[in-house]
Amino acid sequence: MNNLVIKNCKLIGKTGEYTITIEDGKISDISKLTEKSSNIIDVKGQIVLPGLIDPHVHFRDPGLTYKENMKTGSMAAANGGFTTVIDMPNTIPKTNTLKAYKEKLEITRKKSVINTLIHAGANTFENMNEIAKLNPISYKIFTDLESDSSLNEIFSNISKLDLDNPIVTIHGEDKRIVEDSTEMMKEKGTDEPIDYAYARPSNAEDTAVSKVIDLAKKYNLKIHICHLSSKKSLEIIKNEIDNVDISYEFTPHHLLLNANAFKEYGNIVKTNPPLRLEGENLSISNVNESSILGTDHAPHSLEEKNNIVWQCPSGMPNIENVLSLLLTEVNNKRLDLKIIPKILSENAANRFNLKGKGKIQKGYDGDLTVIDLKKEGQFNVDEFYTKGKYSPFDKTSYKGKSTMTIVNGKIVMEDNIVYDTN
């Protein structure tokens, strides 16, 4: 029997120290007694969280592996304390056919050192219904690429799939507003990084969020809004929360930075949606116990990021620093430690129906993240496992860090050393 015993664990919401026993990849016991075992790990009073879950990553495999691949991305995730991620479909080819979906499943099986699940891309009804046989996590729609009529057709098709309660995952920016605003800023000719905040304004997100809520109500579908960045969009969602089955995620960059960061960091902070103008942006105060955090980990090469703003791709790596960023907020009394396991694990597990994940409980998967709440340091991108060696948080001080990542009862990261378990 594959057995791992972790002793002297502090658990959030409980007093004293506990021993967690994992047998054959599942939590078999949580008690104040330590069982005999040849495989005992003493975490010496560190806090143990349910394994972190990131519902939004871009590991770039297949087709864009010079930016990231399933191996480097999953090792970066493990280094950041994540035991499960859900990969997005905009690879080459897109994960929107049964063939491409199966091929990516095989890539995750061969390369990933953690649990890696995948979102499916939106396509024809026939393609989506074929993928439905494999019970995808969601179908992802990029509203900045689709017309209103196309969006209506996609929602209609998803509602007819042979699948119980499918989730539609949304990139919410209105296509027309983005195109018109981008053209206007390009004609201005200044080519400053902050121009991008005006090229994709917050009302593009507000409009798209309103549209997909109407479509979700029309077709009785569940929707999940990715990387919510606009204060008004959050208000729109809260006003409709009783009328539609909707969830949303925050990213660390949209919570901790605003458009002023373009002036300091340039194109490395260019993302879709962009960092918002001060007053239109969200902040850490918007996070509560029902929130979901998604990193939108989306690395590119430094050569690409050094292009002028209109030719520079959007995205930044986030998965290795988000936990420490949030634990620093905890230490600074701006977040409650008690909500960390909810916003980084339990809520995503519930929303995306990840059975056996999101809690430290008997019978659940042996996915755990050990943290040292007092460990201090500075982020150093050169020590990251991701291929994306850039970040606005590079050299930023933190307090609080993951020290061990356990996936299905196996240690995959210990003190920044990630083991290649494949």
Side-chain angles (χ1 to χ4, degrees), residues 4 31 46 72 138 150 174 219 246 267 347 381:
L4 176 66
S31 71
Q46 292 185 90
T72 59
S138 84
S150 296
D174 184 74
Y219 292 106
I246 187 171
N267 291 339
N347 295 343
V381 295

Side-chain angles (χ1 to χ4, degrees), residues 177-189:
I177 294 175
V178 166
E179 288 178 346
D180 289 349
S181 300
T182 299
E183 183 180 357
M184 186 183 306
M185 292 309 299
K186 285 183 176 181
E187 288 176 353
K188 185 180 175 184

Side-chain angles (χ1 to χ4, degrees), residues 231-388:
K231 184 183 294 185
K232 185 175 179 181
S233 285
L234 180 58
E235 292 173 1
I236 291 169
I237 291 170
K238 287 183 175 180
N239 288 335
E240 292 281 2
I241 203 79
D242 294 329
N243 304 319
V244 64
D245 193 336
I246 187 171
S247 58
Y248 53 91
E249 72 195 25
F250 296 130
T251 74
H253 50 280
H254 287 125
L255 292 174
L256 298 172
L257 302 172
N258 61 39
N260 291 329
F262 279 110
K263 299 173 184 176
E264 183 173 358
Y265 303 108
N267 291 339
I268 69 167
V269 296
K270 179 185 174 185
T271 60
N272 289 344
L275 300 178
R276 296 303 182 197
L277 302 175
E278 195 168 1
E280 299 176 2
N281 62 303
L282 299 168
S283 71
I284 204 73
S285 65
N286 294 114
V287 178
N288 58 40
E289 66 175 8
S290 64
S291 298
I292 295 173
L293 267 290
T295 66
D296 193 9
H297 174 83
H300 298 283
S301 71
L302 273 173
E303 182 181 5
E304 291 172 317
K305 292 300 282 187
N306 285 331
N307 283 328
I308 67 167
V309 64
W310 309 116
Q311 296 172 14
C312 161
S314 297
M316 70 172 78
N318 266 328
I319 205 162
E320 289 176 88
N321 55 27
V322 62
L323 176 60
S324 287
L325 288 170
L326 294 177
L327 293 179
T328 301
E329 295 298 310
V330 169
N331 278 301
N332 289 334
K333 311 288 187 204
R334 289 190 287 264
L335 270 185
D336 189 335
L337 178 63
K338 291 180 181 178
I339 75 170
I340 294 295
K342 290 182 176 292
I343 67 178
L344 283 174
S345 187
E346 183 179 347
N347 295 343
N350 289 341
R351 184 53 172 168
F352 292 102
N353 197 29
L354 307 183
K355 301 294 187 184
K357 300 192 183 299
K359 292 182 180 180
I360 300 176
Q361 190 168 303
K362 284 181 67 173
Y364 272 57
D365 294 345
D367 296 343
L368 302 171
T369 302
V370 184
I371 62 169
D372 182 344
L373 191 59
K374 300 304 177 185
K375 187 175 181 63
E376 297 185 60
Q378 287 187 338
F379 295 115
N380 183 349
V381 295
D382 293 329
E383 297 176 355
F384 285 177
Y385 283 82
T386 177
K387 289 187 177 185

